[in-house]
Amino acid sequence: RACRDEIFSAVDQMLEKIEIISLRAEHIEKIAELEKICFSTPWSKEGILDSFKRGTKFLVAERLGEALGYIGISCILDEGYITNVAVFPEFRKQGVATALLKEVFSLALENGLKFVSLEVRESNKNAIILYEKLGFKTEGKRKNFYENPINGRYAGTRRAHDGTFIALVCITILSLHQVIGIVKILRPMGESREKCADFFLCQCPDIPLDLVF
């Protein structure tokens, strides 16, 4: 029963598309607000703008015009460093961070980056699980790296030559596009959520819901 309820929720989210767009001026205040929610040493509006002017690429996830979260990546020659990933609490576990990271991976491939790297608090287990599902490998850990509160640092890297990961992302995207297209046809025709959920299970049995959504 719990699994079916999770699928119902996932189907509803599929019908409300998450869009990933480049940072606009009107996003900066909202991102600064999100920084205060998520981080003990948040970036200010001025800090975000300064980083943007120095070349950091910021992407914002939106649904129906509402900002859900954002990601930043700084590219130095052929290397990519994710500055921050943040999602508003009410939109977590809905695939927002996954969508943002996949867009960064596409950006990395387009720009010929050799790797994409990030750092996160060791206590943020959910984030680390997601990163590793998406192909990041542990590069190192350091005790007592962060302050307020004191916590260790996890560093992870996803390298461009990881062909298995690239194939996984491509298969996932193609499968979801097919499923979303058919679900969008079925729902307006009056098909029940149960039938849409059953269709998803039949078509994408090997794609974990927490990875996709």
Side-chain angles (χ1 to χ4, degrees):
R1 176 66 186 179
C3 181
R4 182 169 290 273
D5 289 342
E6 185 179 11
I7 296 169
F8 291 162
S9 177
V11 169
D12 286 341
Q13 291 300 328
M14 287 165 63
L15 296 176
E16 297 179 356
K17 183 181 178 183
I18 296 173
E19 294 185 289
I20 308 299
I21 62 176
S22 296
L23 177 77
R24 297 197 297 259
E26 60 265 30
H27 290 134
I28 294 178
E29 187 167 348
K30 193 73 173 177
I31 288 176
E33 175 188 334
L34 178 57
E35 282 277 321
K36 291 178 182 178
I37 293 172
C38 295
F39 304 112
S40 58
T41 53
W43 285 16
S44 65
K45 290 187 292 184
E46 293 75 18
I48 295 166
L49 185 58
D50 180 63
S51 182
F52 174 75
K53 289 179 178 178
R54 288 188 285 108
T56 300
K57 174 74 173 178
F58 290 104
L59 300 172
V60 178
E62 284 191 343
R63 183 188 290 133
L64 302 177
E66 183 175 13
L68 314 177
Y70 93 103
I71 192 169
I73 180 170
S74 176
C75 299
I76 303 174
L77 299 177
D78 57 359
E79 302 172 356
Y81 298 91
I82 292 176
T83 57
N84 272 338
V85 185
V87 177
F88 282 99
E90 62 267 34
F91 301 121
R92 292 173 186 167
K93 299 187 181 299
Q94 297 180 23
V96 179
T98 299
L100 287 164
L101 285 161
K102 286 183 178 179
E103 190 65 24
V104 162
F105 298 152
S106 296
L107 182 70
L109 290 173
E110 290 171 5
N111 289 274
L113 301 185
K114 289 184 177 179
F115 65 80
V116 174
S117 184
L118 55 74
E119 298 177 354
V120 66
R121 288 178 178 266
E122 278 193 297
S123 59
N124 195 344
K125 301 299 184 183
N126 288 337
I128 293 172
I129 289 171
L130 173 63
Y131 299 151
E132 292 184 343
K133 281 184 178 179
L134 291 175
F136 284 89
K137 307 297 183 185
T138 304
E139 290 290 328
K141 296 181 180 181
R142 183 175 173 182
K143 293 183 178 180
N144 302 327
F145 180 82
Y146 291 104
E147 298 179 351
N148 192 27
I150 293 174
N151 196 223
R153 180 196 67 177
Y154 165 93
T157 297
R158 206 280 294 177
R159 300 187 182 280
H161 58 69
D162 188 349
T164 302
F165 166 75
I166 294 173
L168 171 63
V169 171
C170 290
I171 291 170
T172 300
I173 291 171
L174 288 173
S175 298
L176 283 176
H177 281 177
Q178 293 167 356
V179 173
I180 290 170
I182 295 176
V183 169
K184 283 184 176 180
I185 294 172
L186 292 176
R187 285 298 292 275
M189 290 174 62
E191 290 292 354
S192 66
R193 296 173 77 206
E194 287 85 355
K195 284 191 176 182
C196 290
D198 288 339
F199 173 77
F200 178 84
L201 278 178
C202 290
Q203 296 301 317
C204 304
D206 298 322
I207 301 178
L209 288 176
D210 62 341
L211 171 60
V212 176
F213 305 106

